[in-house]
Amino acid sequence: MVFAPSSVSDGSAAQASAQASALQKIAAEAAARQKLGVVRPALPHRRQLPLRVGTRASPLALVQTRAFLTMLTRFCPVLRDMGAFQEHQINTTGDQVQNRRLAEIGGKGLFAKEIHDALSDGRIDFAVHSLKDLETTLPSGLVLACTLRREDARDVLILRPGEGRPEVDPAAPFDALPRGALVGCASVRRQAQMLHERPDLRFGLLRGNVQTRLDKLAAGQCDATLLALAGLRRLGMGDRADIILDPEIMVPAAGQGIVGVTVRESDIELRELLAAIEDYEARAVSTAERALLAELDGSCRTPIGGYARLIDDAQGGEPVLRLTGLVAREDGSFLLRRVVTGAPTDAERMGRELGHSLRADSPADIFAP
């Protein structure tokens, strides 16, 4: 599939102009080398155009990938004119196995394993991921080259159709559910935070893509479910969110709402190209969140939340990075939430230190393999 540009908006006019200029320069040089048959010997994995992009085959993954490629060609029309991209849909183990929790089949890295393999083997040139599904330590030879502007990272509660929309107290949103309600959920992070507030709630496994989960909810398999607002909005389904949860009440997953692009470490040209469209805020917040996650080193059985954002400095200085971290027990009987602030340039250190603090003050059994 070849992608052409459409009318999209990304960033301020000044940022867009700078990005476009950088992209035009890099792509024009690449085009000139291709025309002259010049190949850099230092790039053993360099491929001729079109570049092959790997992605999961889910509807959300495809929407994210195509939006990214449209943005890239909008900033750099020479790539459009060269027919630069081909889409390669890859079915991952995480997508194939829907009747078991991820922790039971190998963890969330199973949403990326087959994609990593294709990238390492040279069958694709780069890959587009939901960052929350990407491990903190990538396979040798692969790097996270680019993070894109974050969509709304909040979680939402969706009620079974026909139940009506109850009155919601923003400070106690889970009280909108009746006593003993059955919540369809595959996330121990979401489950632990809800049970901490409402231990009477029941939970049943509900996996699959967004539409599959909504269909199961409508069929009465559960009374409510939780999804990421980012995914709903990207699919044009933001109106399905009944209750949007404050990120300080329901701490999101690290990387939620951010799209990340991986490449081979040796593909210098492609890394330069992608660096030109890097979103500064997305890189800062994702660096903090992923450093927090790496320090905690939890499995998919460990409820962990991480959410960073840039806030205005009270003294009128540069924006401040605010990072919220959470560790809990799956049954909600223990929950520890802490917040740190600092400079965006200290994102990685902040994440590591907050992770260390949370681990030190949490029961050891929470991190048991």
Side-chain angles (χ1 to χ4, degrees):
M1 184 176 294
V2 177
F3 293 82
S6 63
S7 178
V8 295
S9 175
D10 189 272
S12 65
Q15 181 188 33
S17 176
Q19 290 172 332
S21 176
L23 283 169
Q24 291 282 12
K25 180 176 183 295
I26 294 168
E29 290 173 353
R33 285 193 297 272
Q34 182 183 7
K35 185 176 181 180
L36 295 173
V38 176
V39 178
R40 290 180 177 174
L43 298 176
H45 296 294
R46 185 174 183 272
R47 297 286 188 268
Q48 298 297 315
L49 295 179
L51 295 170
R52 298 155 299 172
V53 53
T55 174
R56 289 170 61 192
S58 72
L60 177 57
L62 295 177
V63 165
Q64 292 177 163
T65 298
R66 292 165 187 175
F68 160 63
L69 293 178
T70 297
M71 181 186 72
L72 195 58
T73 53
R74 173 181 177 267
F75 282 130
C76 193
V78 69
L79 292 175
R80 173 205 61 203
D81 298 337
M82 296 160 68
F85 305 113
Q86 283 183 347
E87 179 186 282
H88 288 248
Q89 298 179 22
I90 298 172
N91 198 14
T92 70
T93 302
D95 293 309
Q96 295 169 26
V97 182
Q98 296 291 327
N99 60 350
R100 298 168 65 190
R101 289 184 179 272
L102 289 176
E104 298 173 359
I105 58 175
K108 68 180 181 179
L110 293 181
F111 283 123
K113 181 182 183 302
E114 287 82 0
I115 299 176
H116 291 331
D117 290 344
L119 187 55
S120 296
D121 295 346
R123 287 175 279 140
I124 59 174
D125 298 294
F126 62 107
V128 181
H129 309 264
S130 291
L131 195 60
K132 71 180 181 63
D133 294 331
L134 202 60
E135 318 95 299
T136 54
T137 301
L138 296 179
S140 177
L142 304 184
V143 294
L144 178 62
C146 177
T147 51
L148 304 181
R149 175 167 296 193
R150 179 173 239 164
E151 180 51 275
D152 197 316
R154 292 176 292 178
D155 285 304
V156 302
L157 191 61
I158 303 176
L159 308 179
R160 189 171 64 199
E163 297 297 311
R165 296 197 178 199
E167 292 294 325
V168 178
D169 178 358
F174 306 136
D175 288 353
L177 294 173
R179 184 168 183 80
L182 176 62
V183 181
C185 179
S187 165
V188 293
R189 171 188 59 83
R190 290 166 173 158
Q191 176 178 315
Q193 292 183 78
M194 291 189 73
L195 284 174
H196 185 71
E197 299 296 331
R198 289 284 307 274
D200 62 289
L201 295 175
R202 298 175 297 133
F203 284 80
L205 180 64
L206 187 66
R207 289 195 54 213
N209 63 44
V210 170
Q211 190 59 58
T212 296
R213 296 188 203 188
L214 293 177
D215 289 344
K216 290 179 178 179
L217 176 65
Q221 293 189 21
C222 53
D223 299 307
T225 189
L226 297 108
L227 291 169
L229 182 55
L232 288 173
R233 286 187 170 176
R234 285 175 172 144
L235 290 168
M237 302 169 66
D239 61 337
R240 296 299 305 271
D242 292 316
I243 303 173
I244 299 177
L245 304 173
D246 188 294
E248 301 302 325
I249 293 176
M250 173 65 79
V251 182
Q256 187 158 297
I258 299 176
V259 172
V261 184
T262 56
V263 300
R264 288 181 293 273
E265 188 174 13
S266 59
D267 281 348
I268 305 302
E269 276 186 336
L270 196 49
R271 291 174 64 184
E272 290 174 349
L273 182 66
L274 294 172
I277 61 166
E278 175 95 284
D279 184 83
Y280 167 77
E281 182 171 354
R283 174 60 78 170
V285 299
S286 64
T287 296
E289 293 168 8
R290 285 170 65 79
L292 166 74
L293 191 60
E295 184 67 27
L296 290 170
D297 195 26
S299 70
C300 280
R301 293 184 178 87
T302 310
I304 295 172
Y307 176 63
R309 60 192 177 98
L310 295 185
I311 59 176
D312 292 335
D313 179 55
Q315 282 72 46
E318 293 297 318
V320 174
L321 182 67
R322 186 180 194 274
L323 173 63
T324 301
L326 172 137
V327 173
R329 188 176 277 124
E330 187 174 345
D331 64 3
S333 61
F334 172 84
L335 186 146
L336 179 61
R337 182 189 294 111
R338 284 182 177 156
V339 177
V340 296
T341 59
T345 52
D346 289 334
E348 185 170 359
R349 177 188 59 78
M350 289 171 58
R352 289 198 310 268
E353 292 182 356
L354 180 56
H356 179 78
S357 169
L358 289 169
R359 175 181 276 275
D361 293 331
S362 298
D365 66 278
I366 288 179
F367 301 97

